[in-house]
Amino acid sequence: MRSHYCGDINESLVGQEVKLCGWVNRRRDLGGLIFLDMRDRQGILQVVIDPDFEELFATANQLRHEFCIQVTGTVRARPDSQINKDMATGAVELLANDLVILNSSAPLPLNMDGHLNNSEEQRLKYRYLDLRRPEMSERMKFRAQVTSAVRRFMDDNGFLDVETPILTKATPEGARDYLVPSRTHKGQFFALPQSPQLFKQLLMMSGLDRYYQIVKCFRDEDLRADRQPEFTQIDIETSFMSADEVMAITEQMIRGIFQDLLSVDLGEFPRMTYAEAMTRFGSDKPDLRNPLEIVDVADLLKDVEFKVFAGPANDAKGRVAVIKVPNAADKFSRKGIDELTKFVGIYGAKGLAYIKVNDAAAGYDGLQSPILKFLPEETALAITSRVEAESGDIIFFGSDSYNVVTEALGALRLKLGEDLGLTTDEWKPLWVVDFPMFEEIEGGLTPLHHPFTAPVGVTAEELKANPAEALSNAYDMVLNGVELGGGSVRIHEQDMQAVVFDVLGIEKDEAEEKFGFLLEALKFGAPPHAGLAFGLDRLVMLMTGATSIRDVMAFPKTTTAACPLTDAPGFANPAQLKELGVQIVSNEDKE
């Protein structure tokens, strides 16, 4: 039906007749002439309708926004004075000699000129219209380019694309599973995979050596900007490769994608331990574009009489730390500091002390703060000296349990970086390594990643004797404060896996029930193996400058995991439920 795309028309086609199909992006009637901006997935082209073609002109008079049309005409160059440098096709136009209305359009429920006047509910309900907008179309095309680049790299490096089951057993990924009732095994359920974790390990035990898959994953969890109930992973697993080797090859892939698609050289990725990331930045995915850092000062405050500081400073599980914000003392009024205090309160902080450095040369007399009356002069000056404070700086304090201070100051650091324009627009990647093997929860330990992550540098006996101090052989790739992907070396020895289950309080019978097939496979010469999974949606979100993964997914869900387009989820037919052996119990029935 067409010979070219609108966006591909250029000066090399001047004088040629072409046939185009697309939509009316805009129609302008200038009396003697009608101008159409015609759009398809490749771009927009100006089409000119001359009144000398009476039948053609009459048809063009019927056109409205988003009519679907076919146009045949001759490409011609625009006069120099009429070249539109803001359009890729702005040097040419099409003089139409034939116009066919393929389909009309009802009045539009969306503003097609931009999404700001459209609610998210509208955009998702009429997603097929929203996706026509050039901004959204470009993101979908870019996403396709990313997945093509991933496949090329994986194929060129000996990885096999292998599919894994969607209907499976639950996997321990830390979120609720989506369950699917079985008709043939009444009362039993499949789980949609939170990741292909167990299957990709089994593929390594099968001798496939290098596996990858661009795969759907499902997690029933509370949503936010970078979370969806179904999302896409670039899933990778290897045999006989160390953590360093896995990091090297996946870094090479990501660097290549950025270079090829954005002409951005990310350079060598630095490495940072989990402990350093949490200490300096209050996050295991630090945004290095932000120059602000957290500095510990507990050792300077152990002997002060001010219990707000002295208590946590002398508590092994406490923390006292500060953030120095350069040249910002005059930017925070009492009201502004109160607003920041409310902000850190979200993270459990009970207050936000501060010191303004009005005149560094004046020493203690140049400082301003309500807390100075509680601090000896030498202590206040030791704090300003440690953070190298200068005139005009302000220092914010966090004093509480380690977790509260770290999370609150980590969040405050990000907020201040954005609000004060300190966060740059550079690309700042890094690897975070040496994660704790476990984290403490009420009543015991839980794996920081998953229970198949191998510890680093300890035997099974040593791990059992001191699990809380063990580090895992895990690694996360972080870019601009976003975790792009995470992975680890996996446990491939029965004894080590048994110890990990024991530390986690997973009884032998429970382990057998949940992971029996994996434990059985470990008996038969399982190779050392390691892997990593990237969040494709997050990667594309960052590369396109979108603020939510919903804007790089064709048909996402709302923040309540609903689909306005299809009205999913919906109620099942009673006959279907009966066939599945499932009964809906209302709250009244429970009572």
Side-chain angles (χ1 to χ4, degrees):
M1 293 182 68
R2 64 180 165 203
S3 63
H4 296 77
Y5 284 101
C6 295
D8 294 339
I9 304 301
N10 55 44
E11 290 169 290
S12 69
L13 297 172
V14 168
Q16 294 187 31
E17 183 173 275
V18 298
K19 185 176 289 187
L20 309 175
C21 292
W23 288 267
V24 176
N25 193 66
R26 188 164 63 138
R27 175 182 175 275
R28 289 163 289 150
D29 190 342
L30 302 185
L33 294 171
I34 292 177
F35 290 90
L36 304 176
D37 284 348
M38 185 176 177
R39 185 192 70 245
D40 59 23
R41 79 168 200 190
Q42 293 299 100
I44 297 175
L45 177 69
Q46 178 170 282
V47 178
V48 182
I49 313 293
D50 195 307
D52 290 344
F53 299 91
E54 293 183 9
E55 186 176 343
L56 177 66
F57 198 79
T59 302
N61 261 323
Q62 303 173 41
L63 298 179
R64 297 293 180 270
H65 208 24
E66 294 306 309
F67 272 40
C68 186
I69 59 176
Q70 179 190 60
V71 178
T72 304
T74 303
V75 179
R76 68 183 188 185
R78 291 198 200 185
D80 290 344
S81 61
Q82 296 179 19
I83 290 176
N84 185 345
K85 295 182 179 179
D86 294 329
M87 289 176 61
T89 61
V92 295
E93 61 188 13
L94 186 71
L95 179 63
N97 58 47
D98 187 49
L99 169 64
V100 178
I101 298 177
L102 300 175
N103 214 335
S104 62
S105 173
L108 298 172
L110 287 183
N111 177 355
M112 299 294 285
D113 292 330
H115 71 269
L116 295 180
N117 296 323
N118 303 315
S119 69
E120 184 176 69
E121 187 82 8
Q122 285 176 301
R123 293 180 62 203
L124 297 184
K125 182 175 180 61
Y126 300 100
R127 192 62 161 185
Y128 44 86
L129 294 177
D130 191 47
L131 289 173
R132 287 185 196 173
R133 297 190 301 109
E135 178 185 32
M136 292 300 295
S137 179
E138 286 301 314
R139 286 174 181 166
M140 293 301 106
K141 286 157 56 180
F142 190 87
R143 182 183 177 116
Q145 291 176 318
V146 172
T147 57
S148 293
V150 169
R151 293 189 188 282
R152 284 194 301 271
F153 182 89
M154 292 281 103
D155 294 344
D156 290 346
N157 283 275
F159 287 81
L160 303 178
D161 184 356
V162 184
E163 293 182 353
T164 53
I166 294 297
L167 296 176
T168 182
K169 291 188 73 170
T171 55
E173 301 289 337
R176 301 180 191 90
D177 292 302
Y178 280 101
L179 300 179
V180 180
S182 170
R183 178 183 60 82
T184 53
H185 301 277
K186 284 187 173 59
Q188 299 184 53
F189 295 81
F190 295 104
L192 302 183
Q194 295 187 37
S195 83
Q197 181 62 47
L198 300 184
F199 285 105
K200 66 183 182 181
Q201 289 189 245
L202 290 172
L203 288 172
M204 295 304 98
M205 298 170 197
S206 305
L208 293 185
D209 197 70
R210 294 189 179 195
Y211 141 95
Y212 84 97
Q213 186 182 184
I214 298 178
V215 59
K216 280 286 188 184
C217 301
F218 307 86
R219 294 181 186 177
D220 184 7
E221 58 186 344
D222 295 333
L223 305 182
R224 55 180 186 264
D226 61 345
R227 293 285 171 89
Q228 281 281 294
E230 51 181 322
F231 57 95
T232 306
Q233 279 188 182
I234 304 167
D235 206 46
I236 300 167
E237 196 78 7
T238 68
S239 294
F240 309 112
M241 289 183 72
S242 66
D244 287 341
E245 290 169 324
V246 172
M247 284 190 277
I249 197 166
T250 52
E251 179 180 322
Q252 181 186 349
M253 180 183 76
I254 295 299
R255 289 178 61 187
I257 290 172
F258 270 79
Q259 185 67 61
D260 294 345
L261 300 185
L262 295 181
S263 298
V264 169
D265 182 3
L266 293 177
E268 296 287 337
F269 291 14
R271 295 190 186 186
M272 182 180 296
T273 66
Y274 171 89
E276 181 182 355
M278 298 301 289
T279 298
R280 293 173 59 192
F281 305 107
S283 172
D284 61 358
K285 46 182 185 293
D287 188 345
L288 300 185
R289 299 172 302 163
N290 181 335
L292 301 180
E293 293 196 21
I294 302 169
V295 178
D296 284 306
V297 293
D299 60 305
L300 302 176
L301 294 161
K302 288 184 175 182
D303 298 326
V304 300
E305 295 182 5
F306 192 34
K307 292 183 179 179
V308 171
F309 288 160
N314 287 283
D315 186 343
K317 294 185 177 181
R319 186 178 189 189
V320 186
V322 299
I323 294 177
K324 180 196 74 174
V325 189
N327 302 311
D330 60 350
K331 296 178 182 177
F332 291 101
S333 63
R334 181 67 256 180
K335 180 181 177 183
I337 293 174
D338 287 343
E339 289 174 354
L340 292 181
T341 303
K342 290 179 182 177
F343 175 78
V344 296
I346 297 171
Y347 302 92
K350 300 179 183 67
L352 185 66
Y354 68 92
I355 293 176
K356 290 185 177 182
V357 184
N358 295 325
D359 184 0
Y364 185 76
D365 292 335
L367 307 180
Q368 174 191 344
S369 172
I371 68 168
L372 287 176
K373 59 189 175 185
F374 302 114
L375 299 181
E377 178 176 339
E378 62 272 17
T379 300
L381 292 177
I383 292 171
T384 60
S385 174
R386 177 164 294 182
V387 298
E388 299 179 352
E390 298 179 356
S391 298
D393 294 351
I394 185 169
I395 303 167
F396 290 107
F397 287 73
S399 182
D400 209 305
S401 69
Y402 178 87
N403 289 341
V404 166
V405 171
T406 302
E407 190 173 359
L409 291 188
L412 179 63
R413 171 182 174 269
L414 295 178
K415 178 176 174 58
L416 292 171
E418 288 297 325
D419 291 352
L420 299 175
L422 301 175
T423 302
T424 67
D425 58 0
E426 305 169 88
W427 294 102
K428 288 288 189 177
L430 79 154
W431 287 103
V432 178
V433 298
D434 291 344
F435 288 83
M437 185 75 178
F438 307 104
E439 59 182 339
E440 290 187 28
I441 57 170
E442 191 173 338
L445 298 174
T446 188
L448 197 65
H449 284 81
H450 54 65
F452 313 110
T453 299
V456 61
V458 295
T459 64
E461 292 75 17
E462 290 169 336
L463 178 66
K464 188 172 184 177
N466 192 11
E469 298 300 317
L471 298 179
S472 66
N473 204 349
Y475 34 83
D476 282 0
M477 182 187 289
V478 177
L479 179 62
N480 292 2
V482 175
E483 180 193 327
L484 280 188
S488 66
V489 173
R490 322 302 187 187
I491 297 170
H492 71 284
E493 297 168 320
Q494 286 179 273
D495 291 347
M496 182 65 78
Q497 189 66 74
V499 166
V500 169
F501 283 159
D502 184 52
V503 168
L504 296 174
I506 300 175
E507 300 290 341
K508 188 173 181 180
D509 289 347
E510 182 186 357
E512 192 63 36
E513 178 190 352
K514 291 183 175 179
F515 319 115
F517 56 95
L518 178 71
L519 300 177
E520 183 75 9
L522 290 175
K523 299 176 183 177
F524 301 105
H529 55 287
L532 184 146
F534 290 104
L536 174 64
D537 311 297
R538 292 183 187 179
L539 174 61
V540 178
M541 177 185 73
L542 278 178
M543 295 184 76
T544 59
T547 57
S548 166
I549 63 171
R550 288 190 292 276
D551 282 337
V552 298
M553 302 172 78
F555 299 104
K557 305 292 190 293
T558 66
T559 52
T560 59
C563 176
L565 174 65
T566 62
D567 285 332
F571 293 101
N573 186 300
Q576 288 179 300
L577 293 177
K578 184 177 180 180
E579 194 173 26
L580 291 168
V582 174
Q583 183 179 1
I584 303 297
V585 179
S586 68
N587 287 333
E588 288 127 1
D589 292 336
K590 290 178 184 177
E591 293 170 2

